[in-house]
Amino acid sequence: MYSDKVMDHFSNPRNVGDLDNPDGVGQVGNPVCGDIMRMAIAVKDGVITDIKFKTFGCGAAIATSSMVTELARGKTLQEALELSNKAVAEALGGLPPVKMHCSNLAADALHLAIKDYLERNAGAADGAGIDPASIKVEDDDHHHDADTAE
Amino acid sequence: MRRVYLDHAATTPVRPEVFEAMIPYLTERFGNPSSIHSFGREARMELDRARERTAALIGAQPEEIVFTGGGSEADNHAIRGAAMTALGKRNHIITSAIEHHAVLDTVNSLKALGFDVTVLPVNGYGLVDPADVRASMTDRTFMVSIMHANNEVGTVQPIREIAAIAHERGALMHTDAVQSVGHLDIDVNELGVDLLSMAAHKFYGPKGVGALYIRKGVRISPLITGGGQERKRRAGTENTAGIVGMGVAAELAMAELDLERARETALRDRLIAGLLSTIPHTMLNGHPTMRLPNNVNISYMYVEGESLLLNLDMAGIAASSGSACTSGSLEPSHVLMAMGISHEVAHGSVRMSIGRGTTEEDVDYVLGVMPRIVEKLRSMSPTYDKKGECCIKDLCANPQDCMRAGGASAPNAPASVSASMGQAMR
């Protein structure tokens, strides 16, 4: 049911772990839904220089988390914010339809980490003028609506 | 790579003896059992033998066996057939929250026809309380349908007691015994059931064939109408080869039942004890002793079931999970939910079901592989940290059930077992 690329990222996930002194941390999901993703980023001069994840969840949840760390590393904050959940899924060669909503939240976790960084560093020059309040991810409730959202 | 099949509750391989017996009825003895010529008669003769063998496995008379297209059809036939017969006389049916969907969805579909439905709760082990059955009975109750053994957690219900209660008020007793037939000693007279569902592929027979036991004197409407096959109880030309296979599988299961049950129980307990003792933060789901001999269902805290299954599969081990992610739905297993197990614990459940081919070496292989898999996934789980502090207690729906502190207690479970699980959990 999963592509080879998904299975590769699932069995050999990239960038698992925590950062010692992260500049921003974002978490999405909850244990009731069966998926929790946490992203930690290091930022220098407006660029994501390091990124680590920890994820509780199914194969798709782990693979998308791993993929988003690969995609985000070295990107500017603005570029990273433009990375969508859909783009992450596409980079993995697609996900089974039922997984598109329930386990494809890794970009949201990344965006929340960036938001956390911007809030901690209000007015910093490398914030590129992004208003942290403008960064929004879908409410977790959409987990339960995924069937109808298909 | 070593391959270990631990999903016998999903389906079993057809035994070579069964397959051999089936072949002639797909080829040269292809006759229609309803035909009067010699081709038909030789098929009819073997069909009758299969009926005798299948009946013997559950202590029934041959004429009480109606062959069906599987366990789900048998469940549908029992429930819809009894409901149609009760129409205008009785309009209430009692079932439990942990039934297979073949029962649960069929019972619920009767609501649209004006039937009242009572779905009984279960305790932390997945047991139905016979007192709840009695309290729900009315003079309008036409059927009580409670499964014999649960397919996910293996808990075996006190069917004999429940059947007696159903009969006090003149209701029929149906049990879905798809998981237990061929694995536990079953005598329909001892259980006191009026209707019992079974499926050949759960005891090394072919898929697509099952049977409904209908006690002599019990009248229920047919589900499939047409020709007069199966004494007008199930129309359609018989699946001769499948039925012959079921009969041989039943005979073999009966002959080997005691030995195989003892062997599987020993393997089951070795697997349960090994997993619980080598992997911290684990919990056995279902009853420790009132349990199918082949069922192992354990929750691994802080990891998710599908991830466990994928890793097991990469190690050649086939199992299944009650996690939402493996069911294609977003809700975890309705059985674990009904047992009061929290979402986060249910998501980490894995069922391993032992079978005839399972060896001690297989069990030990699993015991060698599983701790590493769980540890690998926990090391990347944000809900787990080795210092022992729970990271999700703020998010947790049931923080009081948190397994982290070692103070494990299954909700609704009797105190004695909570204590033993606490010990087993480390």
Side-chain angles (χ1 to χ4, degrees):
Chain A
M1 65 185 249
Y2 287 131
S3 69
D4 289 348
K5 208 153 189 180
V6 172
M7 286 310 293
D8 175 34
H9 276 265
F10 169 74
S11 40
N12 302 297
R14 282 56 145 182
N15 307 308
V16 179
D18 295 304
L19 291 177
D20 279 341
N21 293 297
D23 294 316
V25 176
Q27 181 164 312
V28 291
N30 66 64
V32 173
C33 295
D35 285 313
I36 306 173
M37 302 176 186
R38 187 170 77 204
M39 292 283 159
I41 55 171
V43 180
K44 194 158 187 259
D45 301 329
V47 172
I48 295 172
T49 54
D50 202 0
I51 178 165
K52 296 273 188 196
F53 82 91
K54 278 203 165 183
T55 290
F56 162 91
C58 64
I62 290 170
T64 52
S65 303
S66 169
M67 178 53 88
V68 90
T69 62
E70 292 237 298
L71 293 173
R73 191 192 292 268
K75 289 238 179 6
T76 66
L77 296 178
Q78 189 60 51
E79 287 166 343
L81 281 173
E82 285 161 12
L83 209 55
S84 66
N85 289 329
K86 192 162 169 273
V88 174
E90 280 165 7
L92 284 167
L95 289 174
V98 71
K99 301 287 184 185
M100 281 305 286
H101 292 271
C102 84
S103 307
N104 186 20
L105 302 166
D108 290 348
L110 169 67
H111 297 170
L112 289 181
I114 295 170
K115 182 177 184 171
D116 181 44
Y117 167 77
L118 292 171
E119 284 169 350
R120 289 196 212 177
N121 299 278
D126 65 1
I130 306 164
D131 176 8
S134 70
I135 301 173
K136 290 194 168 63
V137 299
E138 283 182 76
D139 192 85
D140 271 337
D141 282 349
H142 84 284
H143 268 63
H144 302 290
D145 301 334
D147 277 349
T148 49
E150 270 310 312
Chain B
M1 183 177 60
R2 192 184 184 102
R3 289 178 85 208
V4 179
Y5 182 78
L6 290 178
D7 207 10
H8 291 84
T11 196
T12 60
V14 171
R15 289 178 69 152
E17 306 95 308
V18 170
F19 180 57
E20 285 297 321
M22 289 172 68
I23 295 170
Y25 296 90
L26 293 163
T27 51
E28 71 265 27
R29 296 186 201 163
F30 61 88
N32 186 325
S34 298
S35 303
I36 61 160
H37 46 62
S38 67
F39 293 83
R41 288 200 307 275
E42 63 189 12
R44 165 65 53 194
M45 210 161 75
E46 202 55 29
L47 203 66
D48 289 344
R49 272 179 74 190
R51 200 182 304 280
E52 286 164 18
R53 289 164 164 163
T54 304
L57 180 60
I58 57 168
Q61 296 302 312
E63 61 272 21
E64 295 175 312
I65 297 294
V66 174
F67 288 112
T68 65
S72 290
E73 185 191 317
D75 285 338
N76 272 262
H77 186 176
I79 294 162
R80 288 187 206 281
M84 288 309 108
T85 304
L87 213 55
K89 299 188 275 282
R90 293 179 178 227
N91 67 346
H92 176 232
I93 179 165
I94 297 170
T95 188
S96 85
I98 60 156
E99 298 299 311
H100 190 277
H101 282 115
V103 167
L104 217 42
D105 290 0
T106 306
V107 166
N108 280 323
S109 75
L110 296 178
K111 286 180 187 167
L113 301 172
F115 285 91
D116 292 330
V117 170
T118 300
V119 179
L120 295 176
V122 294
N123 71 10
Y125 294 138
L127 277 171
V128 173
D129 186 345
D132 287 347
V133 179
R134 178 170 275 122
S136 306
M137 292 291 300
T138 77
D139 292 332
R140 297 177 300 107
T141 307
F142 71 89
M143 173 176 273
V144 177
S145 178
I146 306 285
M147 73 199 318
H148 188 217
N150 183 265
N151 50 310
E152 293 188 27
V153 297
T155 300
V156 180
Q157 303 292 341
I159 293 301
R160 187 181 173 172
E161 217 176 324
I162 295 169
I165 293 166
H167 292 153
E168 284 170 13
R169 304 289 282 266
L172 292 172
M173 181 69 203
H174 168 245
T175 192
D176 173 345
V178 164
Q179 288 292 336
S180 54
V181 168
H183 300 275
L184 293 175
D185 262 323
I186 293 183
D187 184 310
V188 287
N189 295 311
E190 204 178 297
L191 286 178
V193 295
D194 303 297
L195 299 146
L196 178 146
S197 305
M198 54 202 285
H201 77 106
K202 306 292 191 186
F203 54 92
Y204 310 93
K207 294 168 184 62
V209 56
L212 178 65
Y213 157 78
I214 307 178
R215 180 176 294 279
K216 203 173 174 190
V218 168
R219 294 268 174 276
I220 63 168
S221 298
L223 187 65
I224 298 173
T225 50
Q229 290 90 350
E230 299 293 294
R231 299 165 149 243
K232 298 189 176 164
R233 293 173 298 188
R234 203 276 191 182
T237 299
E238 296 88 344
N239 171 9
T240 316
I243 291 168
V244 167
M246 182 168 184
V248 174
E251 189 171 69
L252 291 167
M254 195 171 160
E256 298 169 8
L257 200 143
D258 289 343
L259 272 178
E260 185 58 19
R261 184 185 49 198
R263 197 188 71 87
E264 288 185 13
T265 302
L267 290 176
R268 176 196 76 186
D269 292 344
R270 181 187 181 94
L271 187 53
I272 291 173
L275 290 169
L276 293 182
S277 66
T278 56
I279 308 174
H281 314 302
T282 46
M283 183 183 101
L284 178 69
N285 295 315
H287 198 281
T289 54
M290 291 167 71
R291 181 180 200 95
L292 283 172
N294 65 352
N295 178 290
V296 176
N297 187 315
I298 288 175
S299 280
Y300 304 84
M301 262 48 83
Y302 315 111
V303 292
E304 193 278 327
E306 191 205 78
S307 291
L308 288 169
L309 293 191
L310 291 171
N311 274 295
L312 283 168
D313 189 42
M314 287 189 275
I317 301 165
S320 66
S321 170
S323 166
C325 292
T326 56
S327 63
S329 79
L330 296 162
E331 281 295 309
S333 145
H334 70 286
V335 175
L336 298 178
M337 293 288 97
M339 288 162 62
I341 290 167
S342 64
H343 279 74
E344 44 275 46
V345 177
H347 282 304
S349 73
V350 170
R351 178 189 72 186
M352 295 178 179
S353 41
I354 289 160
R356 289 185 67 248
T358 312
T359 63
E360 207 164 278
E361 289 72 38
D362 290 335
V363 167
D364 291 345
Y365 174 66
V366 174
L367 290 176
V369 166
M370 194 65 170
R372 290 203 303 271
I373 290 175
V374 174
E375 187 47 42
K376 178 190 169 190
L377 289 172
R378 281 180 179 168
S379 74
M380 63 173 91
S381 171
T383 64
Y384 180 76
D385 82 89
K386 286 185 176 167
K387 290 189 283 293
E389 184 63 27
C390 181
C391 311
I392 56 170
K393 53 180 187 287
D394 298 339
L395 295 163
C396 218
N398 307 65
Q400 69 276 13
D401 301 332
C402 189
M403 302 294 155
R404 196 58 194 252
S409 66
N412 309 331
S416 58
V417 170
S418 299
S420 67
M421 282 201 291
Q423 286 159 11
M425 277 204 11
R426 300 203 322 171

